[in-house]
Amino acid sequence: MLDQIKKLRAEVAQYPVKNPEELETFRLKFIARKGAIAALFTELRHREPTERKTAGRLLNALKAMAQERFKTLARQLSTPSQANPDWAQADLTLPPLTDALGTLHPLTIVKARIIALLERIGFNMAEGPEIEDDWHNFGALNFPPNHPARDMLDTFFVAQGRDSVLRTHTSSVQIRMAERQQPPIRIISAGRVYRHETISARAHCTFQQVEGCYINRDVSFAELKQTLLYFVKGLFGADSKIRLRPSYFPFTEPSTEVDMSCQSCNSQGCSLCKHTGWVEIMGAGMVDPKVLQNCHIDPATYTGFAFGMGLERIAMLLYQVPDLRLFMENDVRFLKQFTTYA
Ligand code: PHE
């Protein structure tokens, strides 16, 4: 009996196991209820008590050893070995998965282009608060107290009193700058503005504006026109033309609406330009003398021009985006089409 146990012990220790199938054979052969070790336990019952005692102890040790070996082998087989690592099964010809690189928001790209263009002709960036008082948003800009733009329908009032509003345009920044320094002043103000408008493909309650303002001695309307032409050609291409239509803003006199030749149909007439060959891109005009006075600038010595545009509208025209809301929704399928990286 003791010999049998010894032999079985050697067999258990050396039995070759290289894969899960062989491990299962090992289990059935030695450890299972009908295996070799169990068979010896059955036999033990028929032996003399003295033999039973020593053989029983050895047999128990053998059983523990076999179970231990089974566990060790099972562990080894479930972790990939050096000889057969995971990457051995991988397709090394596949292209690598790179980290996705973020792109700049299309409005950020267009804003940077506009600012770069205007900086080249001497304009400097200026910033101001988005929550404005009535004076900087309306009063100094020559809006009479009962002007409809101050109406609830256009303006978001921040507090109970009517003196605190979300700025409806970035012209307020120009007032702040003009109050602080004497001409020459040549500034761009860019930023978010708010208007109480129904959200649609062409309008939103919040959008961004870029405005320019130049105040100096002898600033003429001809200079405004050339500046606008330079700007439009720089942004939309050298073939672009502009057309000025008389208009009205409380803070400019004369005032004009600026149209650009339609890029989409080469001025032939299409649905975008409503078959006129022209699309409206901004408002402009000569700074009203009253506005200069409000900023303590002498209108007898200085004149100025100003222009302002909606950034989304410019971006829509540049990229032919049909719906303004796409710029606010941050859908990456839309955003990743603009491939200028930060
Ligand atoms: N502030 C005007 C607007 O918000 C745009 C503008 C700016 C018009 C400067 C003329 C001169 O519509």
Side-chain angles (χ1 to χ4, degrees), residues 141 143 168-172 174 193 195 207 209-213 248-249 251-252 254-257 282-287 305-310:
L141 285 154
F143 283 83
T168 61
H169 50 190
T170 48
S171 306
S172 53
Q174 303 175 348
V193 302
R195 288 184 198 175
F207 58 101
Q209 277 193 334
V210 182
E211 298 200 8
C213 173
Y248 173 77
F249 298 104
F251 39 89
T252 47
S255 303
T256 175
E257 217 63 75
M282 63 174 122
M286 300 305 291
V287 180
F305 66 69
F307 54 91
M309 69 204 91

Side-chain angles (χ1 to χ4, degrees), residues 26 29-30 32 44 57 94 117 119 165 209 257 280 307 334:
F26 174 90
K29 197 168 156 63
F30 301 113
L44 196 65
R57 207 181 297 133
L94 287 174
L117 260 177
E119 277 179 346
V165 303
Q209 277 193 334
E257 217 63 75
E280 189 186 313
F307 54 91
F334 172 70

Side-chain angles (χ1 to χ4, degrees), residues 5-23:
I5 296 174
K6 236 178 169 177
K7 232 175 93 194
L8 191 57
R9 191 182 171 85
E11 217 182 320
V12 167
Q14 279 152 33
Y15 191 87
V17 175
K18 286 191 295 297
N19 54 43
E21 291 75 45
E22 286 175 0
L23 183 65

Side-chain angles (χ1 to χ4, degrees), residues 276-306:
T276 61
W278 297 94
V279 284
E280 189 186 313
I281 53 166
M282 63 174 122
M286 300 305 291
V287 180
D288 194 294
K290 190 82 193 353
V291 175
L292 294 177
Q293 238 165 28
N294 288 339
C295 303
H296 315 294
I297 293 171
D298 180 10
T301 318
Y302 297 108
T303 50
F305 66 69

